[in-house]
Amino acid sequence: MEQMDFSIELSESEIEKFADYLYQKENAKATINKYMADIKKFLSFLADDKRINKKVLLQYKEWLAQKYAVNSVNSMLAALNQFLEFLNVGKLKVKRIKVQKQPFLQDQKELTEKECRRLIATAMAEGKEQLALCIETIACTGIRISEIKFFTVERVKSGKIEIYNKGKYRRIFLPKVLQRKLLSYCHNNQIAEGWIFVTKNGKLKDRSNIWREMKRLKEKAGVAESKIFPHNFRHLFARIYYKVTKDITGLADLLGHSSINVTRIYTATTETVFQKKLDKIVGKRKILLHYS
């Protein structure tokens, strides 16, 4: 009962210092913004009484579970636990909701190679060569959208992209055909140095810029909006690479994963493929009785 009884009271200054704490831990800007938004949600739940103990935290967890999907709940609990660590009350941390790992991906969300090519072709037809190249770059290298900032003229000329992200360093080798396309684009658009994927004002394009442009392709390309987001092209690269090489260790290195268990998510088959395999197994083994 000690954890249930132990309580602390939050102050506004602690909330403000949390952002600096995350920055000092070298979290990405997007992560800091996400965590701060999640903590504000927690404060909203607390309302006027800012005292917290284990009982209150478990009530919050239950409240989240009733309102949000399990992945969202676990994401918000991760932010909360970081906040508790910052407050030096790690003993109050809340366990995430356990989720059984699924051996398949949802067909309605996974992008196919044909759909990817249609999106690229549509972008080119609308005169958006840079957007087409951005899609091709992610789909051919498996980079995160936040890593396009490492694609400079100088690095592309060398054929190797050195990336430092999430506290880790890795090197990406460019396929020759992609290297030629990128350099041709730079030559035709008088980009002699620095970033390649920039706005008209020369500023680096960010995730929201690119995602917004991608979504505008949906109708002409005939691709569902649920499938059009930058990370899905990274998924596509991972599935193709693994299908061709069966090298999950090499794939983990290319994607910048510390654990192969994370990489396995990218190599799962779709629900349709899983269903066909299951039907084939049951049919061949004649597990079920057949009725006329």
Side-chain angles (χ1 to χ4, degrees), residues 128-267:
K128 297 180 179 179
E129 184 182 4
Q130 188 193 76
L131 178 60
L133 268 177
C134 185
I135 294 173
E136 287 183 299
T137 298
I138 301 173
C140 290
T141 62
I143 63 164
R144 301 176 179 91
I145 188 63
S146 61
E147 294 171 343
I148 63 167
K149 64 184 177 184
F150 295 102
F151 278 71
T152 61
V153 176
E154 295 82 358
R155 289 192 178 102
V156 171
K157 282 182 178 178
S158 74
K160 297 182 289 289
I161 309 296
E162 295 176 336
I163 291 176
Y164 181 76
N165 195 12
K166 296 191 174 184
K168 292 175 287 187
Y169 166 87
R170 74 185 194 280
R171 179 177 289 176
I172 298 292
F173 292 88
L174 290 181
K176 295 296 182 184
V177 63
L178 178 61
Q179 182 188 32
R180 288 195 294 270
K181 280 190 173 187
L182 288 168
L183 291 178
S184 176
Y185 173 80
C186 292
H187 175 76
N188 294 336
N189 290 274
Q190 289 82 51
I191 304 174
E193 60 182 8
W195 298 321
I196 294 175
F197 298 103
V198 294
T199 64
K200 291 180 181 178
N201 296 324
K203 294 182 179 180
L204 179 69
K205 282 201 169 181
D206 60 24
R207 186 175 185 275
S208 59
N209 297 143
I210 296 168
W211 193 356
R212 189 163 53 247
E213 288 183 46
M214 286 179 178
K215 282 188 174 182
R216 290 175 184 155
L217 303 174
K218 63 180 180 181
E219 292 181 2
K220 289 187 178 179
V223 179
E225 184 175 353
S226 62
K227 295 185 176 186
I228 305 175
F229 54 95
H231 210 71
N232 227 6
F233 298 104
R234 178 170 156 90
H235 275 248
L236 180 61
F237 166 82
R239 296 201 315 275
I240 293 172
Y241 181 91
Y242 183 72
K243 184 179 179 180
V244 173
T245 67
K246 294 295 186 288
D247 177 15
I248 196 167
T249 303
L251 178 58
D253 290 338
L254 285 172
L255 296 177
H257 290 161
S258 299
S259 170
I260 289 179
N261 289 330
V262 177
T263 313
R264 291 187 192 282
I265 298 170
Y266 292 73
T267 61

Side-chain angles (χ1 to χ4, degrees), residues 105-121 135-136 139-140 221-229 231-240 243 268-273 276:
L105 303 166
Q106 296 180 8
D107 294 88
Q108 65 268 30
K109 289 187 177 180
E110 287 306 311
L111 194 71
T112 66
E113 291 180 61
K114 287 184 179 179
E115 288 170 331
C116 181
R117 285 194 289 269
R118 288 210 303 271
L119 286 167
I120 294 168
I135 294 173
E136 287 183 299
C140 290
V223 179
E225 184 175 353
S226 62
K227 295 185 176 186
I228 305 175
F229 54 95
H231 210 71
N232 227 6
F233 298 104
R234 178 170 156 90
H235 275 248
L236 180 61
F237 166 82
R239 296 201 315 275
I240 293 172
K243 184 179 179 180
T269 56
T270 63
E271 290 177 343
T272 300
V273 174
K276 287 180 179 178

Side-chain angles (χ1 to χ4, degrees), residues 9 11 18 29 51 56 119 132 137 139 152 155 188 267 291:
E9 187 166 355
S11 67
F18 182 51
K29 184 179 179 181
R51 289 175 299 174
V56 170
L119 286 167
T137 298
T152 61
R155 289 192 178 102
N188 294 336
T267 61
Y291 300 93

Side-chain angles (χ1 to χ4, degrees), residues 1-185:
M1 291 295 293
E2 183 183 350
Q3 285 190 1
M4 290 290 185
D5 296 334
F6 177 82
S7 66
I8 62 169
E9 187 166 355
L10 300 180
S11 67
E12 289 297 326
S13 62
E14 287 168 332
I15 308 301
E16 293 172 2
K17 290 176 183 176
F18 182 51
D20 186 59
Y21 166 81
L22 294 172
Y23 177 77
Q24 294 296 330
K25 288 193 68 177
E26 298 187 25
N27 282 282
K29 184 179 179 181
T31 301
I32 295 174
N33 292 338
K34 166 76 167 58
Y35 277 19
M36 292 305 293
D38 288 342
I39 295 307
K40 287 178 182 177
K41 189 181 296 293
F42 174 57
L43 294 177
S44 176
F45 169 81
L46 293 176
D48 295 329
D49 189 353
K50 295 296 187 288
R51 289 175 299 174
I52 61 172
N53 54 31
K54 191 70 172 185
K55 183 177 180 181
V56 170
L57 295 170
L58 291 175
Q59 288 173 344
Y60 177 62
K61 177 181 177 180
E62 184 65 29
W63 179 77
L64 289 176
Q66 292 174 6
K67 292 176 67 70
Y68 300 97
V70 65
N71 288 339
S72 297
V73 173
N74 284 338
S75 176
M76 286 184 268
L77 290 179
L80 176 62
N81 286 337
Q82 277 285 308
F83 186 53
L84 295 172
E85 285 280 4
F86 159 70
L87 295 172
N88 293 317
V89 287
K91 63 181 180 180
L92 293 180
K93 288 200 295 187
V94 181
K95 292 181 181 179
R96 298 187 186 190
I97 299 173
K98 289 185 178 180
V99 183
Q100 181 180 345
K101 292 183 179 180
Q102 299 293 336
F104 48 80
L105 303 166
Q106 296 180 8
D107 294 88
Q108 65 268 30
K109 289 187 177 180
E110 287 306 311
L111 194 71
T112 66
E113 291 180 61
K114 287 184 179 179
E115 288 170 331
C116 181
R117 285 194 289 269
R118 288 210 303 271
L119 286 167
I120 294 168
T122 301
M124 289 297 292
E126 294 192 351
K128 297 180 179 179
E129 184 182 4
Q130 188 193 76
L131 178 60
L133 268 177
C134 185
I135 294 173
E136 287 183 299
T137 298
I138 301 173
C140 290
T141 62
I143 63 164
R144 301 176 179 91
I145 188 63
S146 61
E147 294 171 343
I148 63 167
K149 64 184 177 184
F150 295 102
F151 278 71
T152 61
V153 176
E154 295 82 358
R155 289 192 178 102
V156 171
K157 282 182 178 178
S158 74
K160 297 182 289 289
I161 309 296
E162 295 176 336
I163 291 176
Y164 181 76
N165 195 12
K166 296 191 174 184
K168 292 175 287 187
Y169 166 87
R170 74 185 194 280
R171 179 177 289 176
I172 298 292
F173 292 88
L174 290 181
K176 295 296 182 184
V177 63
L178 178 61
Q179 182 188 32
R180 288 195 294 270
K181 280 190 173 187
L182 288 168
L183 291 178
S184 176
Y185 173 80

